Amino acid sequence: MNFEAKTRGWPKIEIRNLHKSFGPKKVLDGVDLDVAAGESVVVIGGSGTGKSVMLKCILGLLQPDRGSIKVDGEEVVGMNGSERRRVMRKFGMLFQGAALFDSLPVWMNVAFGLIEGRHMPRDEAKAIALGKLAAVGLGAEVAELYPVELSGGMQKRVALARAIATEPEIIFFDEPTTGLDPIMSDVINELIIKCVQDLGATALSISHDMASVRRIAHRVAMIYNGRIIWTGAVDAIDHSGNPYVDQFIHGRAEGPIQMAAAYP
Amino acid sequence: METVLQPIGRAFVSGLETTGRLSIFAIMAVTYCVRPPYYPRLILRQMIEIGFYSLPVVGLTAIFTGMVLALQSFTGFARFSAESAIPNVVVISITRELGPVLAGLMVAGRIGAAMAAEIGTMRVTEQIDALTTLSTNPMNYLVAPRLIAGLAMLPLLVLVADIIGVFGGYLVSIYKLGFNPEAYLRNTMDFVEPLDVISGLVKAAAFGFIIALMGCYHGYNSKVGAQGVGQATTNAVVSASILILVFNYGITELFFAR
């Protein structure tokens, strides 16, 4: 892991001993994770293992109970107000359900971060938005539509265009291919690779779609019971020697990971 | 004994918790109303939504209330030959109480529910999180415009409701009860005082604030899923309606208790 980090650059994100509980339920129980600049890390793990919670802690959408998160060497836990906004400008996020604003047309969605976050004039922002839409394979005719008029795959593309519109240094992808058909999944994977490369961005994704993981990851980390239990290069994933990882990537019901039938 | 006391204690504590959380939300919301950035476009849109599109509902409520008020007072007052008091009863009841309260309750049903449903859906589909990641504060962007619009538009709506309500009473008095139109209007204008109308408008502003606050609070804290949003919508309307009635008493006491 350290070797990998050194070859790609300094750590862009450093997470140490991150804890987060909801009532009695411990979701994150001491997460340690480094993401190097320019690297694409995918965190895998079953549903409800805290993958999304980890991302939300980094983004400041949730307040961790304990632990440290450094972005470019700067501690962000406990940051708020204008400091937080300054750091947030480094981030772009693709939400699982696209999370497009229903009340705004597509181009306004894409231009939102530019207009509201960066106070760019609307015409200028619209031109950039159209460019970003083109980059994800959507024509200008889509720009005036509303999100509800689009298919799931198109919504994902718009969301991707929105995530890259402000040219962030770090992009988070929350289950980018969930709910898409295999072909559309691959299209989105391709776009993610292309966008991340074009921007030279650092990417942190969470996924349980192994085909997608193999496409977009440089490095994979597996989260289980609120901890990172394995991390390694994506090529190493098939001979990790870790029974949890083996069970997960082959999708077997039998193994050390026991799925709870229902939450208490 | 424990089985009896435990639920009471739990309800009490959770009641305190809710009050605390709501107070913090209200204070934060007010702070964000005065703190930039401002979104005039969004404020205008909410003003149209609250003020303009509520006109039919509020107008219908007001006119029938004014009409029934005249009719009922007539059946009562005719027994004491006090029919001439009808214009006074109508105008005082409408401007002081029925205009603001009924308009408030109707708007709570219409707007409070819509706000809770919209913001709740945005919460559930992570649109509120998306706002934050795009360097936009949801309190500034979603809550402040609604509070400002509620505060500004309810007094205007109630002013319209006052006029329509009095007109409803006039219609019934003239065409059904055989009053003299000039005498009726003169009686109304002689009797109504600025304070009657002003107290009603102050109430309206408070109700507008309450409606928007409840809609935003419950939507903002909506639980996941369709059921969560439904619950948030119901809570917004019920809590706004009850608070309207409570504050109505409080404000009346402030203005008129001597």
Side-chain angles (χ1 to χ4, degrees):
Chain A
M1 169 175 153
N2 278 332
F3 168 74
E4 272 285 322
K6 269 172 201 142
T7 53
R8 291 204 179 269
W10 70 96
K12 195 82 179 161
I13 304 173
E14 279 180 273
I15 304 172
R16 289 290 174 273
N17 199 27
L18 195 66
H19 288 260
K20 177 72 188 176
S21 304
F22 294 101
K25 194 170 184 285
K26 274 190 180 172
V27 180
L28 300 180
D29 190 16
V31 170
D32 293 304
L33 184 68
D34 279 356
V35 184
E39 184 183 37
S40 170
V41 172
V42 179
V43 177
I44 58 172
S47 308
T49 50
K51 302 187 303 282
S52 293
V53 172
M54 186 185 76
L55 283 195
K56 288 186 176 172
C57 283
I58 304 173
L59 289 169
L61 298 171
L62 289 173
Q63 192 70 37
D65 300 334
R66 184 143 70 80
S68 142
I69 300 167
K70 286 183 179 161
V71 176
D72 285 328
E74 199 177 6
E75 182 64 53
V76 296
V77 173
M79 217 182 231
N80 42 40
S82 56
E83 286 246 275
R84 163 73 64 188
R85 269 199 299 281
R86 174 177 57 77
V87 175
M88 290 302 302
R89 292 217 173 113
K90 296 182 184 178
F91 289 95
M93 165 112 183
L94 177 66
F95 284 88
Q96 188 180 345
L100 298 174
F101 305 126
D102 307 315
S103 56
L104 301 176
V106 164
W107 77 264
M108 279 280 280
N109 265 283
V110 178
F112 196 91
L114 299 169
I115 297 174
E116 306 297 352
R118 309 259 156 112
H119 309 291
M120 190 182 274
R122 293 168 80 88
D123 305 344
E124 206 177 314
K126 185 169 187 175
I128 293 176
L130 291 177
K132 296 295 174 190
L133 283 170
V136 298
L138 294 174
E141 72 283 356
V142 178
E144 301 298 335
L145 297 178
Y146 281 83
V148 287
E149 300 172 90
L150 306 179
S151 68
M154 281 164 98
Q155 288 187 359
K156 270 274 158 72
R157 289 192 201 210
V158 174
L160 181 59
R162 183 174 72 178
I164 61 171
T166 53
E167 314 211 323
E169 298 167 33
I170 305 164
I171 312 181
F172 289 172
F173 299 99
D174 185 356
E175 309 204 357
T177 56
T178 300
L180 300 179
D181 67 66
I183 299 172
M184 187 51 81
S185 295
D186 204 51
V187 171
I188 295 289
N189 287 334
E190 194 113 331
L191 284 171
I192 287 175
I193 296 168
K194 187 173 104 45
C195 294
V196 171
Q197 263 173 6
D198 289 353
L199 290 174
T202 306
L204 177 59
S205 318
I206 56 187
S207 184
H208 42 227
D209 170 6
M210 286 315 296
S212 169
V213 172
R214 288 172 199 280
R215 285 293 302 273
I216 64 177
H218 295 140
R219 207 152 60 77
V220 178
M222 166 118 182
I223 192 168
Y224 180 66
N225 267 355
R227 285 187 192 172
I228 304 287
I229 55 161
W230 182 83
T231 164
V234 66
D235 323 325
I237 198 169
D238 289 312
H239 27 85
S240 63
N242 186 313
Y244 294 90
V245 176
D246 274 344
Q247 186 193 350
F248 188 84
I249 63 176
H250 295 112
R252 286 192 289 255
E254 309 290 312
I257 306 173
Q258 290 301 317
M259 286 287 168
Y263 287 111
Chain B
M1 195 62 186
E2 213 171 85
T3 48
V4 182
L5 289 180
Q6 238 175 23
I8 298 175
R10 201 172 290 146
F12 181 69
V13 170
S14 88
L16 282 184
E17 240 177 57
T18 312
T19 314
R21 227 178 287 138
L22 180 59
S23 310
I24 293 171
F25 186 87
I27 293 167
M28 272 187 24
V30 172
T31 324
Y32 280 107
C33 284
V34 290
R35 186 191 285 183
Y38 310 109
Y39 297 97
R41 230 180 261 262
L42 296 180
I43 297 174
L44 188 69
R45 188 199 285 180
Q46 290 300 327
M47 282 183 162
I48 293 171
E49 190 60 45
I50 298 172
F52 185 70
Y53 289 111
S54 299
L55 273 177
V57 178
V58 169
L60 280 171
T61 310
I63 196 158
F64 282 108
T65 307
M67 284 164 69
V68 83
L69 208 53
L71 203 56
Q72 282 286 24
S73 335
F74 183 80
T75 55
F77 288 1
R79 278 184 233 161
F80 317 106
S81 317
E83 296 93 332
S84 60
I86 288 176
N88 313 343
V89 170
V90 169
V91 74
I92 293 295
S93 316
I94 292 280
T95 53
R96 283 191 181 188
E97 293 294 333
L98 295 173
V101 170
L102 291 178
L105 292 177
M106 296 311 279
V107 175
R110 224 187 78 81
I111 297 297
M115 282 182 184
E118 191 182 353
I119 296 181
T121 307
M122 290 186 75
R123 163 65 71 203
V124 170
T125 57
E126 299 187 302
Q127 291 179 50
I128 294 186
D129 290 344
L131 275 177
T132 311
T133 64
L134 294 166
S135 319
T136 303
N137 189 313
M139 293 296 275
N140 259 355
Y141 188 81
L142 293 175
V143 177
R146 286 170 169 79
L147 282 181
I148 294 171
L151 200 62
M153 292 321 280
L154 255 275
L156 281 181
L157 269 177
V158 166
L159 199 60
V160 175
D162 285 353
I163 294 166
I164 295 179
V166 171
F167 179 66
Y170 170 89
L171 283 183
V172 168
S173 304
I174 305 308
Y175 295 104
K176 195 167 164 63
L177 309 175
F179 275 68
N180 176 307
E182 278 161 55
Y184 187 96
L185 284 181
R186 197 176 333 111
N187 233 331
T188 301
M189 294 315 287
D190 282 351
F191 203 77
V192 70
E193 284 185 41
L195 192 63
D196 298 327
V197 179
I198 290 168
S199 70
L201 298 185
V202 169
K203 283 178 178 180
F207 299 165
F209 183 79
I210 288 170
I211 292 165
L213 184 70
M214 288 299 130
C216 293
Y217 173 77
H218 288 288
Y220 208 81
N221 294 299
S222 170
K223 300 272 188 311
V224 181
Q227 209 183 359
V229 177
Q231 190 68 48
T233 311
T234 311
N235 288 346
V237 177
V238 172
S239 58
S241 305
I242 290 172
L243 283 178
I244 284 175
L245 296 173
V246 172
F247 273 71
N248 180 49
Y249 180 81
I251 299 172
T252 306
E253 178 108 21
L254 274 181
F255 269 97
F256 299 109
R258 301 239 154 79

